Amino acid sequence: MSPSPSSGEPRLAIVGNPANRRVRLFQDAVRAAGLPAAREVAWLDVLGGRAEFRRGEVVRIESPGEDTAVERLLRGTDDATRVEGTALWYERFTAAVRELGRAARRAGADLLDDPDELAVLFDKRLCHEVLDLASVPVPPSPTSGPGAPAVRGWDDVRALMGGPGMRRAFVKLAHGSSASGVLAVETAGPGRVRATTSVERDASGRLFNSLRVRRLTTEHEVAAIVDTLAPDGLHVERWLPKASQHGRAADLRVVVVAGRATHAVVRTSSSPMTNLHLGGARGDLNAARAATEAAGGGRSWAAALEICERAAACFPGTHCVGVDLLPATGWRRFAVGEVNAFGDLLPGLTGLPGSGAEALDTYGAQLAALRAGGGRPAARIDGTGQEHTAHV
């Protein structure tokens, strides 16, 4: 059964990197809620087969990022700035969370993150297909869905961009995150190609993530990067013109907890990538809401949040997701760019009016939903009634 007020307070465990800010912020929220500290299970122990889970625990899976030793085990490199290796990362990460899930089930613990859903959320092609089949608005993409072609390199991308409406497209690593390996590509006839990206290519052809967004102005430059990325898997989608605030492109990250949109932040940028670590800045949420309602007759803001909730409903075994919501020019329509499994890292942001989380950050909102019986565990207690521990 799901944690509920009648079954007492949840006993929490968190799988993460113990020194990481995500774990620290979650533990801060646990203390603020008056709950005992969550038991910490290190990703290094998960990957080394030493992790333990206990009957009755509610287990949160956190991002394995920002740890050199974990990165080495997942991607086979000590350099966290390297772009290549995401296919290997995906293979090892999904294998680890599935084994983690089996261990939790054996122990009689509840997971807040379904391993099979995580595998979809970390493959942009699969996630796009799931959303599209559920009639969630998404940018058109030739690389998701039945019969989608393989993308072996720039020649394939160039051919796909010759299709209707695809003159401007985002080319993304299928298993990337935080804009790693993303190129916003524009074509205008034979040989006329330019792209915006944060990827740097060194003299030996290796790719690195940078905090500086740059423009590539020749097809040769773009092709060299795309050809290097292609073995890890690529997703291509139409580049939709975005709404703006103060002359800067704008989108939203909306956090959905237990099926309800609780937090939102506007992200603005002078480049096509609005990620805050790439120079994006938080915009004016009240202005975005007012613009949306003015464009849509007063109900559009609620409709925009409902789109995010519909996207989250495609992943019913995942307690919390972050939805990237793309407003079209004029704030009249919206599409979902991505659904992020670990999209709740928004320190200091309190909940939306009417969400029930007005005084809570994203972690506090998740704890409140659990205590109210709003959890959606993926792995159920096994019902044996035996106290036991399972190991990964």
Side-chain angles (χ1 to χ4, degrees), residues 88-248:
L88 178 62
W89 181 95
Y90 178 77
E91 177 186 345
R92 292 178 175 176
F93 171 75
T94 53
V97 295
R98 283 178 169 134
E99 181 54 37
L100 185 160
R102 288 189 286 269
R105 284 190 290 271
R106 291 195 299 269
D110 286 336
L111 286 180
L112 293 177
D113 309 270
D114 180 81
D116 291 333
E117 291 183 2
L118 287 176
V120 174
L121 288 165
F122 277 98
D123 188 320
K124 298 185 195 304
R125 300 162 299 191
L126 295 178
C127 185
H128 189 282
E129 179 181 2
V130 166
L131 296 171
D132 194 30
L133 288 173
S135 298
V136 175
V138 289
S141 168
T143 55
S144 68
V151 181
R152 298 173 295 267
W154 171 245
D155 288 345
D156 291 335
V157 171
R158 192 71 158 94
L160 292 174
M161 291 186 66
M166 293 296 293
R167 187 182 67 82
R168 302 169 78 236
F170 277 94
V171 180
K172 304 178 178 181
L173 281 168
H175 312 300
S177 60
S178 301
S180 176
V182 172
L183 296 94
V185 183
E186 302 171 81
T187 62
R192 297 180 61 190
V193 176
R194 60 186 180 184
T196 305
T197 185
S198 62
V199 176
E200 289 186 359
R201 183 171 180 268
D202 70 8
S204 64
R206 298 178 303 171
L207 303 182
F208 296 86
N209 286 308
S210 167
L211 296 179
R212 184 173 68 87
V213 175
R214 59 186 40 76
R215 295 295 298 272
L216 309 178
T217 57
T218 70
E219 185 167 1
H220 174 76
E221 293 175 288
V222 176
I225 291 177
V226 171
D227 286 342
T228 304
L229 294 175
D232 280 313
L234 294 177
H235 173 63
V236 180
E237 63 186 33
R238 184 186 296 174
W239 176 351
L240 301 179
K242 287 183 183 177
S244 64
Q245 278 193 353
H246 307 297
R248 292 164 62 90

Side-chain angles (χ1 to χ4, degrees), residues 301-337:
W301 179 251
L305 296 182
E306 193 264 341
I307 289 171
C308 298
E309 292 172 350
R310 284 168 50 203
C314 294
F315 306 96
T318 303
H319 187 228
C320 174
V321 295
V323 179
D324 289 347
L325 188 65
L326 314 179
T329 302
W331 299 90
R332 294 180 181 87
R333 294 181 307 279
F334 293 85
V336 172

Side-chain angles (χ1 to χ4, degrees), residues 362-376:
T362 58
Y363 301 105
Q366 292 168 65
L367 293 169
L370 282 175
R371 299 175 87 176
R376 295 182 292 177

